[in-house]
Amino acid sequence: MLMRAAQQGDAAAYARLLAAVTPIIRRTAARRWTGTEEPDDLVQDVLISLHQVRQTYDPGRPFLPWLMAIARNRLADIQRRQVRRAKGEVAVEVLPETFAGDETKEPIERIADAEELGRALATLPPRQRQVVEMLRLKEMSLREASAASGMSIAALKVSMHRAMKALRAVLTK
Amino acid sequence: MKTEDLIRTLAAEARSPPRRLRSPAVRLGLWLCVSVPWIALVVAVMGPRPDLAIKAEETRWLLEQGATLMTAVTAAMAAFCAGVPGRPRWERSVPLAPVALWIGLLGAGCLRDWSLAGPQGLALQVDWACVPGIVTVGLVPGTAMAIMLRRGAPLAPVLSVGLGGLAAAALADFGLRLFHAQDAGLMVLVWQVGTVAALTAFSAAFGHRLVRWRHLAAR
């Protein structure tokens, strides 16, 4: 009766109906596993869903199966969402910090000592040293470095690659 | 937001209620009222097949067309039922019977073609014309179905849109056979039923996009 009145625009009847179904939805939700979702959020989700499809209620059919079909559908969706979320998470007590431990770094990153890096750079041929300085230390783009040095972009890339290989060899000795 | 506040907000919105959804049977009637004139128009434009009068007296052709039509009608009805919360679930599986009958009749047709003409009777030729044919005839039924399904509840998006696609494609195949003279069992099975199956799968793949809870989409 209330739903029929609500479908005809009776806001007060609709409010009474929603208030009456809230405990039913809450009880249904409580019987199911819904992860970390707050009970109030679940109830509100079902109420909004019910509101969205209120035109689908047929006054010639019973109300409760209509309501429960919506509630079950929404709760199942929430369960699926919770399972997906749970799969993507790993429970840990202390979050691992990847920036503090040496074992998480590339060998080249371990060299924090600028002096050691300077010595390693000094062992490079002059052109390779110039390329490393331009591209890595001064953070110039390939185009800027090409304009500054007169070298082609391809030549810059080759020099950079050789320089990095040589540096890695020197620093990991 | 508190639940009480939400109820007040929703109740305020209920003063302008949306039009109540008609029963699945009425909606089926409306869908056919939109779709059948379009199919008649396409058949008229393409020109009915010259042997239509002879075919109309052939039991096998009539049975196949009957099963195709029943597939379309039951699939449309099931799609509309799937969008109404609280309706029994068995309604969704009703189209399985006419689909099985349709494929069974075509399978029996293949056997008959084999017994009459040997391996020649099961010759499979390329006939891509069925694909654009079914798509063209199914254009209006498919669009009408998509619009109608969006008004239902998104309880089973993949299933209801898949059933809707099956309904539109099967109805289109019914229309196609009124102007496209292709009756060999295997050819119909591969090209026509194959196209219907592909369109059904294509529709189902778009289920979640077409029919969804709007408040979740807005999040």
Side-chain angles (χ1 to χ4, degrees), chain B residues 10-26:
Chain B
L10 297 180
E13 276 182 32
R15 287 200 180 92
S16 48
R19 197 161 40 83
R20 188 185 293 153
L21 205 65
R22 293 167 199 272
S23 75
V26 174

Side-chain angles (χ1 to χ4, degrees), chain B residues 15-208:
Chain B
R15 287 200 180 92
S16 48
R19 197 161 40 83
R20 188 185 293 153
L21 205 65
R22 293 167 199 272
S23 75
V26 174
R27 303 184 82 207
L28 172 67
L30 285 173
W31 179 67
L32 288 173
C33 283
V34 173
S35 306
V36 171
W38 168 256
I39 294 171
L41 180 73
V42 176
V43 174
V45 170
M46 298 301 290
R49 53 193 289 179
D51 60 347
L52 189 59
I54 303 165
K55 282 284 159 192
E57 289 174 7
E58 203 179 278
T59 314
R60 174 180 159 187
W61 190 82
L62 284 176
L63 281 173
E64 285 173 8
Q65 282 289 74
T68 314
L69 194 59
M70 282 308 292
T71 299
V73 169
T74 53
M77 185 74 180
F80 294 138
C81 288
V84 181
R87 286 195 74 102
R89 280 174 171 265
W90 60 261
E91 290 174 336
R92 302 175 185 185
S93 46
V94 171
L96 283 175
V99 166
L101 178 68
W102 186 21
I103 293 172
L105 284 167
L106 291 171
C110 289
L111 289 176
R112 215 177 69 139
D113 293 341
W114 171 275
S115 65
L116 287 176
Q120 282 276 303
L122 293 183
L124 190 63
Q125 284 136 13
V126 175
D127 185 8
W128 284 107
C130 291
V131 182
I134 291 177
V135 169
T136 308
V137 185
L139 215 56
V140 169
T143 310
M145 178 59 76
I147 293 169
M148 292 176 88
L149 287 180
R150 281 174 70 88
R151 287 212 67 219
L155 297 178
V158 173
L159 182 77
S160 60
V161 178
L163 284 168
L166 172 64
L171 194 65
D173 187 45
F174 175 83
L176 178 87
R177 292 195 73 182
L178 299 176
F179 65 84
H180 184 61
Q182 184 194 67
D183 301 314
L186 191 64
M187 289 292 283
V188 175
L189 204 55
V190 171
W191 290 102
Q192 296 182 21
V193 179
T195 305
V196 170
L199 289 173
T200 303
F202 182 76
S203 314
F206 279 90
H208 282 293

Side-chain angles (χ1 to χ4, degrees), chain A residues 3-144:
Chain A
M3 190 63 198
R4 189 182 302 195
Q7 280 185 325
Q8 287 162 354
D10 184 341
Y14 192 46
R16 278 207 305 282
L17 174 88
L18 294 181
V21 300
T22 298
I24 302 174
I25 300 168
R26 206 182 293 274
R27 273 201 303 276
T28 310
R31 280 201 295 268
R32 287 167 173 247
W33 175 85
T34 46
T36 55
E37 203 83 20
E38 290 292 326
D40 263 355
D41 290 348
L42 294 170
V43 171
Q44 292 185 14
D45 188 305
V46 176
L47 288 179
I48 297 172
S49 304
L50 179 158
H51 180 72
Q52 187 193 316
V53 300
R54 64 195 188 281
Q55 77 279 2
T56 64
Y57 174 67
D58 176 359
R61 297 180 73 86
F63 174 74
L64 216 51
W66 179 82
L67 169 73
M68 294 316 286
I70 297 168
R72 276 196 300 269
N73 181 273
R74 294 305 308 131
L75 290 172
D77 270 0
I78 289 162
Q79 282 176 330
R80 275 194 286 273
R81 198 167 66 212
Q82 288 285 326
V83 168
R84 272 202 301 273
R85 200 172 289 168
K87 271 186 184 168
E89 286 176 355
V90 179
V92 286
E93 287 186 5
V94 182
L95 288 171
E97 290 180 2
T98 58
F99 48 83
D102 272 357
E103 67 276 8
T104 62
K105 295 181 180 175
E106 288 287 310
I108 196 92
E109 288 175 321
R110 288 194 200 135
I111 314 306
D113 189 346
E115 240 176 68
E116 199 175 340
L117 185 62
R119 276 200 299 275
L121 274 173
T123 63
L124 295 177
R127 178 161 285 195
Q128 285 182 17
R129 191 165 62 237
Q130 186 195 359
V131 172
V132 171
E133 279 169 1
M134 285 191 298
L135 294 178
R136 288 291 179 267
L137 304 182
K138 293 180 184 166
E139 295 183 337
M140 292 163 84
S141 69
L142 278 167
R143 191 166 296 190
E144 287 165 348

